[in-house]
Amino acid sequence: MGCLTSKEGTTFQQKNVRVKDCDHVTGLSKKQRFLLKGSWKGVSREFESTGVLWLVELFTTHPPTRACFTQFSLLGLDGELQECEEFRQHAEQVMERIDNALFSMEDPDTMKSILLETGAYHRRVVGFRPEMFQFAEEPLLNALRCTLDERYTPQMEVIYRVIVQFMTQTLIEGYNGG
């Protein structure tokens, strides 16, 4: 990716700023974070539908995760779950929690704190295991791809993959008491 430029005339101090920028806790450069924030606006208008797509795919591809949601575990995946108001509200709340973390991206301590707290909360969910956060990665990326459609470019896919992996690792760290 190369955060340092090879332009002549770039001072040592300017190079240090660029290196520090690449050292952002998320692994994203300043430009990538800017692009993510712009793209996320499209997702934020569709939190409920994106969250529903995400969780339904997660429950379909990793059925043990569904058992952790006892209030939804008996609802059919072929439409009954998607029509359940309580499920749709939960899906929207999960997306809002991600939004809170992403909104705080420029304050890494706050962002990490939100994710660590969320990870720790999941210790109280009966049957939940930390690897379930990893199971959620691809379904989330697929839901984002569906929501953003043509705005989910190869460049944005890389950015979303990096941020989702960062969030997953931080959630696991929080779950494990980090």
Side-chain angles (χ1 to χ4, degrees):
M1 282 231 178
C3 287
L4 291 176
T5 61
S6 59
K7 291 181 185 176
E8 286 190 76
T10 303
T11 68
F12 178 73
Q13 186 177 20
Q14 289 169 321
K15 287 180 183 179
N16 275 345
V17 169
R18 287 192 188 101
V19 169
K20 288 178 185 174
D21 183 51
C22 284
D23 289 339
H24 190 270
V25 68
T26 61
L28 296 174
S29 70
K30 188 172 186 170
K31 179 181 178 183
Q32 288 172 316
R33 294 191 312 272
F34 175 80
L35 291 171
L36 175 60
K37 289 174 197 172
S39 173
W40 189 254
K41 289 177 186 174
V43 177
S44 69
R45 292 187 283 273
E46 301 289 336
F47 277 162
E48 182 183 298
S49 61
T50 304
V52 167
L53 284 171
W54 172 28
L55 294 178
V56 168
E57 183 177 337
L58 175 61
F59 294 168
T60 302
T61 57
H62 295 89
T65 59
R66 188 172 178 207
C68 297
F69 296 86
T70 55
Q71 69 274 37
F72 311 128
S73 62
L74 299 177
L75 299 175
L77 291 172
D78 57 353
E80 190 178 6
L81 186 62
Q82 294 90 323
E83 293 172 14
C84 174
E85 181 64 30
E86 186 181 359
F87 176 72
R88 290 195 326 264
Q89 286 176 350
H90 179 76
E92 185 172 19
Q93 289 171 342
V94 172
M95 293 301 295
E96 287 171 351
R97 187 68 174 174
I98 293 172
D99 181 62
N100 288 340
L102 291 179
F103 182 79
S104 303
M105 197 170 0
E106 298 307 323
D107 180 0
D109 291 339
T110 300
M111 181 183 196
K112 275 197 85 158
S113 176
I114 290 167
L115 295 169
L116 291 170
E117 288 172 17
T118 304
Y121 169 82
H122 283 78
R123 287 194 303 253
R124 297 184 285 184
V125 177
V126 176
F128 193 88
R129 299 182 322 272
E131 61 269 18
M132 290 178 171
F133 290 123
Q134 292 170 316
F135 298 159
E137 285 182 359
E138 285 304 316
L140 175 56
L141 291 168
N142 289 337
L144 294 170
R145 181 180 300 111
C146 184
T147 297
L148 293 169
D149 197 25
E150 72 276 350
R151 296 169 291 171
Y152 195 83
T153 63
Q155 179 182 26
M156 289 311 304
E157 180 177 11
V158 168
I159 293 169
Y160 276 112
R161 193 165 292 282
V162 169
I163 196 66
V164 167
Q165 288 173 350
F166 165 77
M167 290 188 304
T168 298
Q169 291 308 310
T170 308
L171 289 164
I172 291 171
E173 185 182 332
Y175 183 93
N176 290 331

